[in-house]
Amino acid sequence: MSIRVAAVGELPVLQDIERAAGRLFREIGMPSVADEEPLSLEVLAGYQGAGRAWVTTDAEERPLAYLIAEVVDGNLHLAQVSVHPDAARRGLGRALIDHAAAYARAGRFPALTLITFARVPWNAPYYERCGFWSLDDGELTPGLRALRREEAAQGLDRWPRVCMRRDL
């Protein structure tokens, strides 16, 4: 397994990974999440151009999982972590998170943050095993609050969401 910045030509593959990973939400009664379209190529290109769209690849250098990150209130915010279901349970997501943490440490970011579903087994409980903890409302930064408002406007608040943090 290797981790590297996604190539521009691989951005449609990231969309495919997101669609495949999203289908798992249908199995737990979240069909609107399963049917949600992945980020646009233009948005993904912004992360890629900033050097914050990483992929894990197979032996043939084909992406199996990806992570995109942005800076929110001085922390590295994990905007999306997706693993193709065919490659699940191999440590790819954790490897990407650890890679993002190393990037953040090198850039002197104090923490990683993310927003996820509180009760989906491969979301908040998984991130807790990766060293994240849930933030109370009083601990939310202005940027995280803004992201939560955007999510609510998209209807993601139909299911409990949580902001999480991992200090570096």
Side-chain angles (χ1 to χ4, degrees):
M1 168 183 60
S2 68
I3 297 176
R4 60 172 170 75
V5 174
V8 172
E10 294 172 328
L11 298 180
V13 177
L14 273 55
Q15 290 179 315
D16 293 341
I17 291 169
E18 182 61 25
R19 283 186 192 98
R23 288 198 274 288
L24 297 174
F25 285 93
R26 184 173 312 288
E27 297 172 13
I28 61 168
M30 299 170 73
S32 61
V33 175
D35 295 337
E36 194 172 295
E37 279 298 308
L39 294 173
S40 71
L41 293 176
E42 294 77 20
V43 170
L44 290 171
Y47 289 103
Q48 190 275 338
R52 293 191 302 263
W54 295 288
V55 294
T56 56
T57 61
D58 62 15
E60 287 79 39
E61 285 295 309
R62 292 179 301 220
L64 301 172
Y66 78 94
L67 182 152
I68 55 176
E70 60 192 320
V71 178
V72 175
D73 297 325
N75 295 307
L76 189 66
H77 182 76
L78 310 185
Q80 184 69 40
V81 181
S82 292
V83 177
H84 194 287
D86 293 344
R89 300 195 177 274
R90 295 185 201 167
L92 304 180
R94 186 179 295 262
L96 283 166
I97 293 166
D98 290 343
H99 182 84
Y103 172 92
R105 277 198 257 351
R108 299 184 185 250
F109 294 99
L112 299 177
T113 61
L114 59 84
I115 304 171
T116 194
F117 291 107
R119 297 186 186 134
V120 173
W122 60 89
N123 279 196
Y126 169 76
Y127 291 116
E128 286 174 359
R129 292 190 302 274
C130 292
F132 289 82
W133 69 89
S134 299
L135 297 171
D136 295 327
D137 284 341
E139 297 174 295
L140 299 184
T141 63
L144 290 175
R145 287 183 193 283
L147 289 172
R148 288 289 293 120
R149 283 191 298 274
E150 290 173 21
E151 288 186 350
Q154 296 169 7
L156 288 176
D157 277 5
R158 290 181 52 200
W159 303 276
R161 300 281 286 166
V162 62
C163 294
M164 302 184 82
R165 178 183 174 106
R166 174 176 155 182
D167 285 335
L168 300 172

